[in-house]
Amino acid sequence: LGVKDKGGGATLDGRFVADAQTEADRRVEAALLKALAGAFPDVTVVGEESSEGALDIEVAQGEEAAERENAAVRQAPRRSAEGALAASAAAGWPEALLSPVEAPRVVVYVDPLDGTNEYAAGEREAITVLMGVAVDGRPVAGVIHQPFFGYDASKGAEQQGALGRTVWGGPGAGVRGNGVVMEATVADPPPLRACLQRNLRDKRQEPCCAALQVEPACKISATGYHWLRILEGSAHCNLMLRKASKKWDSCAGEALLVAAGGGVTDTCGRLYDYSHRPHAVQNLCGLVGFADWELGKRVTRTIAETIAPLGEYPYDVEDDSVLPGTEIHAESAIPV
């Protein structure tokens, strides 16, 4: 797998957990960046590995293999902006999504392999590739590719059936996957079925889970998989109440959840700005995603009230990617 540690950290019980990167992370991102640059050379693309200075695929895979992949990318079909718009219209996209957008207003966030620690440990089905598109700082489209969808861990590689699916969409287009429109239809809580990280690293999660009457839908460190569980209706929300995720983890998920009637905010219900800020790619104030907007208001209000006695977080964090005045549960929330 070519595993490297980009720099991990300790859990609450003192265990060290690596921040893994694999050959797959490096090769997938290199291919995606080349393809996007060829198709949309004026659009800003922010990839996880390249943004963190960790994209050294030439060393990892050798010059010959690198050239084969680069040649495949160069041979991929190219379409003009006019051709892309015509194809979108033919596919039945809503009229509101067919207007051209100036390239400087667009940022594409790429996570080449979400859930790398899980992948390095043998997990397959929860692994995803994430691509989120933001215009004027707000997520407008998301793609989640799940390469091992349908994977059966009890079978060998030669016994697996057809694997993989791609879920895509955004506000105005809905959420689609394998030709099926997906909707967040999970039954009303309690219990609140929440997707949680595998490793506990903050003192806020346990009291918030108690206050929210949480029943874990899954405990796995794979944010893209959390988004899919919420979209499919097997979870109400995900909770990451600390600085851990990055914009490439959340942009695609936010676009898809908003399209399905939900959303994504920071720990206490504020919206993030996805404009290109190299110093602000980390979601320093945590992450909460939810299937329903009204549910999101209740969840983030409860979280804010529960963590208030534990310290000033997240209000003591300087993060200019948080949009001030946008707490979704506040009557004075500024519409975005």
Side-chain angles (χ1 to χ4, degrees):
L1 295 177
V3 179
K4 298 180 179 181
D5 180 15
K6 296 189 293 182
T11 61
L12 280 186
D13 60 8
R15 291 182 300 108
F16 178 82
V17 178
D19 181 8
Q21 183 208 63
T22 69
E23 179 96 356
D25 294 86
R26 299 185 286 273
R27 294 178 66 171
V28 170
E29 179 161 324
L32 286 174
L33 293 184
K34 287 181 180 295
L36 289 168
F40 309 103
D42 298 322
V43 168
T44 298
V45 180
V46 182
E48 176 179 4
E49 310 307 334
S50 52
S51 295
E52 296 179 343
L55 190 61
D56 56 353
I57 125 171
E58 290 79 12
V59 174
Q61 69 185 94
E63 293 183 1
E64 183 178 347
E67 177 54 30
R68 285 198 301 270
E69 291 196 359
N70 294 344
V73 170
R74 287 195 297 270
Q75 294 167 10
R78 298 285 183 264
R79 284 193 303 204
S80 64
E82 293 77 10
L85 285 172
S88 299
W93 282 68
E95 187 68 29
L97 301 180
L98 299 180
S99 300
V101 177
E102 296 84 357
R105 297 168 56 196
V106 180
V107 183
V108 179
Y109 289 95
V110 174
D111 188 340
L113 196 155
D114 182 68
T116 302
N117 276 17
E118 303 287 352
Y119 177 67
E123 171 63 38
R124 291 297 177 264
E125 189 169 19
I127 306 310
T128 58
V129 179
L130 307 177
M131 293 180 62
V133 181
V135 175
D136 298 331
R138 298 303 303 144
V140 299
V143 180
I144 301 179
H145 178 61
Q146 189 180 12
F148 296 103
F149 175 69
Y151 180 81
D152 187 341
S154 68
K155 297 179 179 179
E158 69 284 350
Q159 298 174 307
Q160 300 290 337
L163 299 177
R165 65 168 170 176
T166 301
V167 175
W168 59 275
V175 181
R176 306 164 189 268
N178 290 353
V180 178
V181 176
M182 304 174 72
E183 298 177 351
T185 56
V186 66
D188 289 339
L192 183 78
R193 291 183 53 76
C195 298
L196 306 173
Q197 297 293 300
R198 183 183 298 278
N199 299 298
L200 184 62
R201 303 197 196 206
D202 69 87
K203 62 184 179 182
R204 292 170 287 274
Q205 180 171 299
E206 289 186 333
C208 286
C209 285
L212 291 164
Q213 297 181 299
V214 162
E215 175 185 285
C218 65
K219 285 188 176 182
I220 192 164
S221 300
T223 311
Y225 182 64
H226 292 181
W227 304 141
L228 291 174
R229 292 292 299 268
I230 297 170
L231 288 165
E232 291 173 334
S234 61
H236 295 99
C237 65
N238 78 329
L239 305 176
M240 190 186 299
L241 311 182
R242 60 185 176 89
K243 57 176 185 180
S245 68
K246 311 285 179 64
K247 298 298 185 293
W248 46 73
D249 296 306
S250 56
C251 187
E254 182 165 348
L256 292 168
L257 285 173
V258 169
V264 173
T265 70
D266 80 343
T267 294
C268 59
R270 299 175 297 182
L271 300 177
Y272 280 112
D273 184 346
Y274 289 83
S275 301
H276 182 222
R277 294 183 177 91
H279 66 283
V281 294
Q282 192 169 31
N283 297 323
L284 294 175
C285 296
L287 202 65
V288 178
F290 39 86
D292 175 82
W293 196 256
E294 292 303 316
L295 173 66
K297 290 181 180 180
R298 298 198 300 273
V299 168
T300 54
R301 181 186 297 111
T302 299
I303 292 172
E305 293 170 350
T306 302
I307 67 175
L310 302 178
E312 297 297 322
Y313 183 88
Y315 297 105
D316 61 344
V317 176
E318 293 186 10
D319 183 353
D320 62 5
S321 72
V322 171
L323 293 170
T326 58
E327 288 93 340
I328 63 171
H329 51 78
E331 292 184 4
S332 58
I334 300 172
V336 176

